[in-house]
Amino acid sequence: MSQERWDVVLTFLTGPLSFQGDTVCRGPVIRLGVSPGPGGVVLDGYRGLDDRQAVITAYDGGSVALAPVGNNQVRVAT
């Protein structure tokens, strides 16, 4: 039996990464930060971010959740 994989399309509305257009990330778990690890999204050009700032998970028929790592703050547009 194979595990479902959901890809996620990220669109950065402001900041340095907004100029690169949509970013397709291979799910189901995507890490974001200054040094997120293999397969993660490097948030370069932003100040005050941790190595792993947030985690996106995409499971169960396309539902997506964004969660901070530790005490970090994350925001998402609707």
Side-chain angles (χ1 to χ4, degrees), residues 4-72:
E4 287 184 329
R5 186 188 103 207
W6 296 92
D7 292 340
V8 175
V9 178
L10 297 176
T11 303
F12 293 90
L13 301 177
T14 60
L17 294 178
S18 64
F19 300 105
Q20 73 181 30
D22 292 347
T23 303
V24 179
C25 303
R26 185 176 178 171
V29 177
I30 301 133
R31 291 170 183 81
L32 295 92
V34 175
S35 180
V41 177
V42 176
L43 301 177
D44 193 24
Y46 295 91
R47 293 181 299 157
L49 296 180
D50 282 345
D51 287 346
R52 290 199 175 125
Q53 185 75 18
V55 176
I56 298 172
T57 55
Y59 288 111
D60 299 329
S63 64
V64 177
L66 175 68
V69 174
N71 294 327
N72 297 324

